[in-house]
Amino acid sequence: MKLHEFQAKERFRAYGLSTPRGLVADSVEAVRAAYAELGGELAVVKAQIHAGGRGKAGGVKLVRSADEAAGVAEALLGKALVTKQNGPDGTIVRRLLVEEGLPIAKEYYVAITLDRQRETPILMASAEGGTEIEEVAERNPGAILREDVDPVRGLAEFRARRVTYALGVPKPLARAFAATLVKLARAFLDDDASMVEVNPLVTTKDDRVICLDGKMLLDDNALFRHPGLSELRDENEEDPTEVRAKAAGLSYVNLDGNIGCLVNGAGLAMATMDIIKLHGGEPANFLDVGGSASAEQVTTAFKIILGDPAVKGILVNIFGGIMRCDIVAQGVVDATKALGLECPLVVRLHGTNMAEGRAILESSGLKITPAGNMREAATKIVEAVS
């Protein structure tokens, strides 16, 4: 689950981290009032969307008057902001963060994420703050420092100090900078985040260490432990179909192909997409109905798949372990009848009650193409939509 910048900074402050003074506004007049309340000449108006690259896309602007702030608000609120991360349609800007301007001395990049190969949290830092880390990695990979974060104890102080000195942080600010790294790691661990990023983390001319930006990505699977954090979800920033699927207990991700996939189990779903591509097709989605889906959930899954106008055929691939193949088969039949399904439908059932499931499909009188194995299923659906 992604957080907006203003939400991430609220979490930062909860861990004792310093951020600029700022106010969230959702109207032109609220932006004008926020500028006045901050009281300084220089302020920053930032679009609040779940996408990086806002600055380069015109979503972050320096302003020096209330009128100028209001003008930026008029240009952004209710409009789609297109960045290189959110596709050609962009994302509608519904909120703005108005923050005080700061006398920046130096910008740094800091992030804590998971090293999946080494199976440990890791701190990454660079003296080239304000630049996207991908660009730094490509141009000068040696500029990115790395330190392990203990998943229980957090970032050891000696590691924080080592990074601080390697970055060349001025000695008067070294203690505060290292403490900031330790607190960011604690926020990452305690909030069950999969990524915390501050770009830039700045030192100021009046000797402060400030999180000028803030990004947090929380692990959905751990949200049951953080009911307060769950309330921070902004469904306006998410794919409506994915939100609908989540509400139905389904795992769904929209893709660019034309073959809809309905599968039980994430691993089998990935393998199904792979074998479709192996045989020359393109999957339209990842859809995992889980290990104990009901007939109603199967019907909902079909509705979600068919909501994508690019879908020209559907492959159902079920391995019946906990899930019974006859339950899935009945759900397929019910969905096909209820939705008046006309596109090609290939079904492969294997496992618990597969004979009963296949009998249900055969006796339905519907145009459902059976398949005995995954290779056969992929071949048939690719041929059907070609």
Side-chain angles (χ1 to χ4, degrees):
M1 183 180 84
K2 293 181 180 179
L3 299 187
H4 286 292
E5 177 187 355
F6 75 90
Q7 294 170 326
K9 286 178 173 175
E10 288 173 2
R11 297 308 304 152
F12 289 175
R13 290 190 288 273
Y15 287 93
L17 291 156
S18 296
T19 67
R21 291 186 302 120
L23 297 165
V24 180
D26 59 6
S27 69
V28 174
E29 288 308 312
V31 169
R32 184 185 293 275
Y35 176 88
E37 185 172 339
L38 290 175
E41 179 184 359
L42 180 65
V44 187
V45 180
K46 300 181 175 183
Q48 297 299 284
I49 62 172
H50 288 173
R54 294 172 299 161
K56 293 181 179 179
V60 178
K61 295 289 187 181
L62 296 173
V63 296
R64 289 178 168 80
S65 70
D67 287 341
E68 194 174 353
V72 172
E74 289 177 353
L76 290 174
L77 284 171
K79 310 296 195 308
L81 183 65
V82 179
T83 80
K84 68 178 186 178
Q85 291 189 10
N86 63 2
D89 295 332
T91 304
I92 299 297
V93 178
R94 295 178 171 85
R95 298 184 189 87
L96 299 172
L97 176 60
V98 186
E99 288 188 331
E100 63 176 339
L102 295 174
I104 297 171
K106 172 67 177 173
E107 298 183 349
Y108 303 86
Y109 173 92
V110 173
I112 299 159
T113 187
L114 293 172
D115 185 330
R116 298 187 183 275
Q117 289 184 327
R118 298 175 59 242
E119 299 181 349
T120 187
I122 188 171
L123 165 72
M124 298 191 302
S126 174
E128 299 189 32
T131 303
E132 294 181 13
I133 196 64
E134 295 84 1
E135 295 179 10
V136 178
E138 182 176 350
R139 184 182 68 254
N140 186 13
I144 303 174
L145 307 177
R146 294 173 174 82
E147 285 286 351
D148 288 348
V149 176
D150 188 289
V152 176
R153 297 184 179 89
L155 179 66
E157 291 186 6
F158 81 89
R159 293 183 183 275
R161 289 194 298 270
R162 184 158 63 192
V163 169
T164 298
Y165 296 140
L167 291 174
V169 176
K171 287 185 178 181
L173 294 174
R175 185 185 296 273
F177 195 96
T180 295
L181 300 183
V182 171
K183 291 174 183 177
L184 283 170
R186 181 47 54 192
F188 173 89
L189 295 172
D190 288 358
D191 280 3
D192 283 309
S194 55
M195 192 271 291
V196 169
E197 182 182 75
V198 183
N199 188 24
L201 175 65
V202 303
T203 55
T204 65
K205 295 176 181 177
D206 53 358
D207 292 336
R208 291 182 290 163
V209 179
I210 306 287
C211 297
L212 195 66
D213 193 15
K215 183 183 295 185
M216 289 189 78
L217 183 61
L218 305 181
D219 185 349
D220 285 347
N221 294 316
L223 286 176
F224 72 94
R225 301 196 295 202
H226 307 281
L229 297 184
S230 299
E231 296 175 0
L232 300 179
R233 182 184 296 277
D234 185 353
E235 293 186 351
N236 289 318
E237 295 285 324
E238 301 179 16
D239 185 310
T241 306
E242 294 181 13
V243 172
R244 181 184 174 197
K246 188 184 296 290
L250 307 172
S251 297
Y252 174 88
V253 178
N254 186 45
L255 301 173
D256 295 329
N258 60 2
I259 297 176
C261 304
L262 191 161
V263 190
N264 68 317
L268 185 59
M270 296 295 289
T272 301
M273 293 190 294
D274 285 345
I275 201 166
I276 287 173
K277 290 186 70 69
L278 182 65
H279 287 80
E282 291 292 336
N285 63 268
F286 169 101
L287 197 158
D288 172 16
V289 297
S292 57
S294 64
E296 291 76 14
Q297 283 179 303
V298 173
T299 299
T300 300
F302 266 90
K303 290 179 180 178
I304 288 171
I305 291 172
L306 292 172
D308 181 354
V311 170
K312 295 182 180 180
I314 300 174
L315 171 58
V316 176
N317 186 13
I318 299 296
F319 178 80
I322 298 173
M323 177 179 283
R324 291 163 39 191
C325 291
D326 56 330
I327 295 294
V328 175
Q330 190 60 56
V332 169
V333 170
D334 292 346
T336 302
K337 290 179 178 179
L339 301 174
L341 186 67
E342 296 181 355
C343 68
L345 173 60
V346 176
V347 180
R348 179 250 183 177
L349 301 175
H350 189 82
T352 306
N353 289 3
M354 67 180 181
E356 292 87 341
R358 291 172 179 174
I360 290 172
L361 297 179
E362 291 172 2
S363 64
S364 68
L366 300 172
K367 293 182 179 179
I368 299 174
T369 303
N373 56 55
M374 288 178 60
R375 185 181 300 275
E376 180 185 354
T379 300
K380 287 183 175 180
I381 192 62
V382 171
E383 290 176 351
V385 302
S386 297

